[in-house]
Amino acid sequence: MPELPEVETTRRGIESHILKLRVHKVLVREPQLRWKIPASLSRQLPGQTIESIKRRGKYLLLSTASNCLIIHLGMSGSLRIVADNAVALKHDHVDILFENNKILRYRDPRKFGAMFWTNDQPLQHPRLIDLGIEPFDKHFNGRYLHQAANNKQQAVKTFIMDSKQLVGVGNIYANEALFLAGIHPVRAAGRISLERYTLLANAIRKVLRNAIKSGGTSLKDFTQTDGQPGYFAVKLNVYDKQGMPCPTCGNTIKQIKQAQRSSYYCSVCQT
DNA sequence: ATGCGGACCTGTTAGC
DNA sequence: TGCTAACAGGTCCGCA
């Protein structure tokens, strides 16, 4: 489900409700997500206070004075703030109950998400330590991409979706950014000029920034933490638009598969 | 080293 | 109407 904008929208949504609050209880109904949620979470988090809520790529980092709960939403995960008498539905796998009787509720039908319970160095966690640059880092630009692409034969679309290169760009925004930059998704990453990578870096930041501003993309089931849908979907140019006219030139949007993922592009505007 | 296909799991939808 | 197959926002792992 969530790419960087949806995770950031979630981060902001829960931050306003649980920052500086003490955890009263943790209820794990289904521990088996992508990896098993450690039992130590339920023992150790109660009594601790959430001191900060940060994001690294698509991971959320809920830090206490001595530990960090790392959450990844996978494809279908979501976090909501609900009242303590709200009935848990199927797929509501984890509740974190706070001292003010609000619950942070994790829901994930496909169970591709994950929760890790670590010390105070979450960025050293094996799943995070090799993550690439943040798209809003001041060092991220066309030169960075151009150098990272080196002589790669890999298609530029799978290249920008590789979290070891840069984080946060999933299938929707990869397609949208390539459209904005006028770059064909199949083009080899190592055969793109610095000038075009500068366009692409700017396009990536633009689509992510706009999506965050709109509260994320609502496709099927993404909602903000208050249950309101994101409003970005109406602004998508190519994603899921196969057969429809290109907003720029009117040519028919094409759909292909790359690395098992759907790619959408205009063969006139993107070369 | 690089890059690809398959895997994880459930729900929804397109197609027959 | 009902069954089946394909597909969905992510990313890890094993193999070529």
Side-chain angles (χ1 to χ4, degrees):
Chain A
M1 169 219 282
E3 301 185 36
L4 187 152
E6 292 73 34
V7 177
E8 179 60 23
T9 297
T10 298
R11 191 195 69 76
R12 295 176 185 183
I14 66 175
E15 182 177 55
S16 60
H17 286 94
I18 64 170
L19 193 61
K20 305 297 180 188
L21 287 188
R22 187 202 309 264
V23 174
H24 179 61
K25 185 180 175 187
V26 175
L27 174 59
V28 178
R29 298 187 190 81
E30 170 56 272
Q32 194 59 55
L33 304 182
R34 175 146 199 192
W35 292 278
K36 194 176 171 79
I37 299 172
S40 54
L41 171 68
S42 307
R43 291 199 305 267
Q44 297 176 5
L45 180 54
Q48 298 202 44
T49 299
I50 305 299
E51 301 292 352
S52 70
I53 304 175
K54 298 192 167 124
R55 179 187 59 73
R56 173 75 172 102
K58 298 170 189 167
Y59 292 90
L60 289 168
L61 312 176
L62 282 64
S63 292
T64 67
S66 54
N67 295 86
C68 182
L69 170 59
I70 304 174
I71 302 176
H72 195 292
L73 301 176
M75 286 277 255
S76 57
S78 62
L79 287 168
R80 298 278 296 277
I81 302 290
V82 299
D84 63 350
N85 60 359
V87 177
L89 303 176
K90 195 179 178 183
H91 309 306
D92 287 342
H93 304 314
V94 179
D95 280 359
I96 297 175
L97 176 63
F98 288 86
E99 56 186 341
N100 67 351
N101 293 327
K102 288 288 178 65
I103 289 173
L104 178 64
R105 180 164 283 172
Y106 177 81
R107 176 182 171 83
D108 187 359
R110 292 177 73 179
K111 297 195 278 194
F112 286 176
M115 287 195 194
F116 308 119
W117 179 239
T118 70
N119 59 15
D120 59 353
Q121 299 290 324
L123 300 183
Q124 301 305 307
H125 189 277
R127 297 272 76 83
L128 280 71
I129 194 164
D130 289 326
L131 290 178
I133 194 169
E134 290 282 338
F136 295 115
D137 186 302
K138 63 181 176 182
H139 298 299
F140 174 71
N141 55 26
R143 186 173 296 108
Y144 186 98
L145 285 177
H146 188 249
Q147 281 182 3
N150 203 358
N151 286 314
K152 283 185 183 297
Q153 296 301 301
Q154 182 186 26
V156 62
K157 188 202 174 209
T158 50
F159 171 67
I160 62 172
M161 288 179 69
D162 180 355
S163 62
K164 287 185 166 50
Q165 305 297 340
L166 84 151
V167 296
V169 178
N171 202 35
I172 297 176
Y173 302 117
N175 280 299
E176 293 298 312
L178 288 167
F179 174 79
L180 287 191
I183 298 172
H184 195 294
V186 173
R187 177 171 287 273
R191 295 182 158 224
I192 295 174
S193 68
L194 172 59
E195 290 71 25
R196 301 190 81 192
Y197 267 124
T198 298
L199 291 175
L200 182 55
N202 289 335
I204 288 169
R205 270 194 296 259
K206 182 174 180 178
V207 294
L208 295 179
R209 195 186 311 116
N210 284 342
I212 292 170
K213 200 185 299 177
S214 307
T217 296
S218 288
L219 285 185
K220 296 196 162 58
D221 53 9
F222 176 73
T223 56
Q224 303 182 58
T225 48
D226 57 1
Q228 292 299 304
Y231 296 101
F232 189 65
V234 294
K235 298 177 188 171
L236 295 175
N237 286 299
V238 290
Y239 182 84
D240 205 23
K241 306 283 189 189
Q242 69 278 16
M244 299 178 69
C246 167
T248 302
C249 75
N251 183 51
T252 302
I253 303 289
K254 288 190 168 61
Q255 177 182 17
I256 59 172
K257 285 279 185 195
Q258 291 181 271
Q260 342 270 82
R261 314 296 298 277
S262 284
S263 296
Y264 308 86
Y265 65 97
C266 170
S267 57
V268 173
C269 297
Q270 295 173 254
T271 59

